[in-house]
Amino acid sequence: MTEPFRVFLVDDHAVFRSGVRAELAREADIEVVGEAGGVAEAVSGIDSTKPDVVLLDVHMPDGGGVAVLNRISEGPVCLALSVSDAAEDVIAVIRAGARGYVTKTISGSELADSVRRVAGGDAVFSPRLAGFVLDSFTGRSAAPEPPLDPELDSLTPRELEVLRLLARGYTYREIAEDLFISIKTVETHASNVLRKTQQSNRNALTRWAHKRRID
């Protein structure tokens, strides 16, 4: 009997990870060997478990899929699994080294088949996403260059992390726990974000962030 494909899950939503784990547990030739909800935890877990395939979320508070791809050692094949079907997200993770990109609307059986295919050397994409990659690498990308956004560009990396969590509805206490900083520090960052983005309150900031796909 051949060894099962070893899979590591990276997603900041624990409920979603549980669902994926349950779906893949139905497959005799796939074994989930670990999971993580953030970049540092993912890098450590991947290095220690040596999976064949990493299922990788694109947007996470501390850097997301590209940050993981930039920090892991060569070895596992990475397949992006995201709610986003934006061309810029697809292109960014493929350029960072992912072998494929599928959206979270995929069925359990289709996901299992995608794991097998990337482990076997294929590139795998949800149907409409493959064109983004082809267009990008042939110079005919339909995705426009991101416009200059002085307000967004003015944020520090930590302020951007706080912004992402605020946009997801996290409380100051939850943000403090997630980023291992004090509530007072979170309040300071949040105040800076509101000032730099010229938003009057948290509701307005959340709408501003969602328009820019910051979540």
Side-chain angles (χ1 to χ4, degrees):
M1 180 178 176
T2 59
E3 292 292 321
F5 297 111
R6 295 164 53 82
V7 174
F8 193 97
L9 308 177
V10 182
D11 194 287
D12 63 331
H13 291 89
V15 173
F16 179 76
R17 295 199 307 270
S18 297
V20 172
R21 183 184 281 273
E23 288 290 342
L24 295 182
R26 305 171 189 267
E27 309 295 329
D29 61 340
I30 295 177
E31 177 188 5
V32 177
V33 296
E35 61 181 69
V39 173
E41 183 186 6
V43 172
S44 175
I46 292 166
D47 284 346
S48 64
T49 60
K50 302 292 189 294
D52 301 305
V53 177
V54 177
L55 290 178
L56 187 59
D57 192 13
V58 173
H59 292 296
M60 294 184 291
D62 54 352
V66 170
V68 175
L69 286 160
N70 288 337
R71 291 175 56 183
I72 61 174
S73 305
E74 291 186 10
V77 178
C78 293
L79 174 63
L81 176 61
S82 175
V83 69
S84 171
D85 61 357
E88 57 268 29
D89 288 335
V90 179
I91 293 166
V93 294
I94 296 304
R95 284 181 170 163
R99 189 64 182 171
Y101 193 118
V102 294
T103 60
K104 289 181 178 180
T105 57
I106 195 170
S107 70
S109 60
E110 289 171 334
L111 180 59
D113 185 57
S114 297
V115 167
R116 297 183 187 103
R117 288 174 59 194
V118 295
D122 289 345
V124 177
F125 297 91
S126 290
R128 84 182 206 90
L129 305 185
F132 294 157
V133 178
L134 291 174
D135 287 343
S136 174
F137 286 96
T138 57
R140 296 194 299 270
S141 177
E145 288 296 318
L148 295 175
D149 194 331
E151 295 168 349
L152 183 60
D153 292 342
S154 71
L155 301 180
T156 67
R158 179 63 90 186
E159 288 167 353
L160 186 57
E161 289 176 337
V162 170
L163 171 60
R164 289 187 188 280
L165 293 175
L166 287 170
R168 293 182 180 190
Y170 282 44
T171 66
Y172 284 178
R173 181 177 296 279
E174 289 170 334
I175 295 173
E177 292 173 352
D178 197 81
L179 299 181
F180 302 101
I181 57 179
S182 70
I183 295 176
K184 183 66 176 177
T185 301
V186 174
E187 291 173 348
T188 299
H189 286 314
S191 177
N192 289 340
V193 169
L194 286 168
R195 175 176 53 81
K196 289 182 177 181
T197 60
Q198 302 181 50
Q199 302 304 305
S200 58
N201 55 53
R202 181 167 178 170
N203 288 336
L205 180 66
T206 298
R207 291 193 297 270
W208 183 92
H210 287 170
K211 286 180 180 178
R212 289 161 173 77
R213 295 182 177 272
I214 301 170
D215 52 27

